Amino acid sequence: LEEAAFQLQQIFRIDISIALNILGIESMRAGHRQAAFTCFKLAADRGYSKAQFNVGLCYEHGRGTEKDLEKAGFYYCLAASSHHPMAQYRYARYLLQHGPGSFWDRQHKAVALLERAAGAGITEAQAYLGVFYMRGLQPQEKRGLKYLLQAANSGDAQSRYHAGVCYEQGLGVQRNLAEALRHYRQSAAAGNRQARERLQA
């Protein structure tokens, strides 16, 4: 009976958190930002990772509350530790730009988070890693191209353009102008200005 009671309490706690988070989303859509933030915060403080991520967004962009990057980082960290992929991406970006500690420690932790988010299909993380590995102090071009192609195949026109550059210049892959043109054309068709300029050149 004790186990059953505990299970019911857990279900009730989760259901309330889900309901509060949904109410927060609906409030935000209706333009009631402070009410939305209150709902997200109540659900976040109950340990619901989706709400923790939403609280992080509110603090990062100043929606329904004062803008506070440190608090945004704290809530992204909470959600990321519960394996929320978009929070892993956002927390990694926070670590790289604002986080405490030495740069190398932050970068190491951030890259690990970005790898997890990219593996979970977060296009932004794939694109970020693609550029990161191409432009790092010790470039890993093959690895960078792998992530650029993942992001491009998820519809990211900028990553498609960068993949074209890789094929044109032989970065991480054998030089192939036909393949470069294919990537540039697809990127340009998706509205990428740099790809259009490259095609004209």
Side-chain angles (χ1 to χ4, degrees):
L1 281 173
E2 282 181 21
E3 177 64 24
F6 176 75
Q7 292 293 336
L8 280 172
Q9 283 178 331
Q10 292 296 100
I11 290 165
F12 181 71
R13 184 177 68 81
I14 292 166
D15 283 350
I16 289 288
S17 299
I18 291 170
L20 284 167
N21 192 58
I22 290 168
L23 190 58
I25 291 166
E26 292 304 316
S27 297
M28 192 63 79
R29 283 186 185 142
H32 307 301
R33 292 181 169 192
Q34 286 182 319
F37 175 75
T38 301
C39 291
F40 292 147
K41 186 85 165 52
L42 285 167
D45 292 343
R46 289 169 164 267
Y48 189 49
S49 64
K50 289 183 180 179
Q52 290 166 342
F53 173 72
N54 286 332
V55 169
L57 284 176
C58 288
Y59 276 125
E60 183 179 359
H61 300 290
R63 293 182 189 146
T65 187
E66 290 289 314
K67 190 173 182 174
D68 188 324
L69 293 179
E70 199 172 313
K71 286 181 180 174
F74 173 77
Y75 279 96
Y76 286 147
C77 179
L78 287 178
S81 66
S82 295
H83 311 292
H84 187 291
M86 197 63 184
Q88 290 170 337
Y89 166 71
R90 292 274 184 172
Y91 186 51
R93 293 289 305 267
Y94 169 79
L95 285 174
L96 290 170
Q97 295 167 7
H98 311 286
S102 80
F103 174 75
W104 297 112
D105 287 344
R106 288 186 288 126
Q107 185 175 4
H108 182 72
K109 189 173 182 179
V111 169
L113 287 165
L114 287 167
E115 294 269 3
R116 276 184 237 138
I122 301 299
T123 305
E124 293 90 339
Q126 294 163 348
Y128 195 96
L129 280 172
V131 173
F132 175 84
Y133 283 126
M134 284 290 175
R135 295 184 179 165
L137 291 173
Q138 297 175 318
Q140 298 177 47
E141 293 169 350
K142 281 187 180 177
R143 203 169 193 178
L145 179 59
K146 177 188 96 167
Y147 283 113
L148 288 174
L149 289 172
Q150 284 180 5
N153 291 333
S154 296
D156 185 60
Q158 186 66 25
S159 293
R160 180 74 67 195
Y161 163 75
H162 286 306
V165 171
C166 291
Y167 278 99
E168 183 181 4
Q169 297 180 5
L171 302 171
V173 70
Q174 191 169 349
R175 196 164 180 257
N176 185 330
L177 293 181
E179 191 66 6
L181 276 171
R182 185 178 73 82
H183 285 290
Y184 288 146
R185 284 191 187 110
Q186 288 181 11
S187 180
N192 186 278
R193 180 182 52 80
Q194 289 173 294
R196 282 198 301 270
E197 289 171 358
R198 199 76 205 98
L199 283 169
Q200 287 169 357

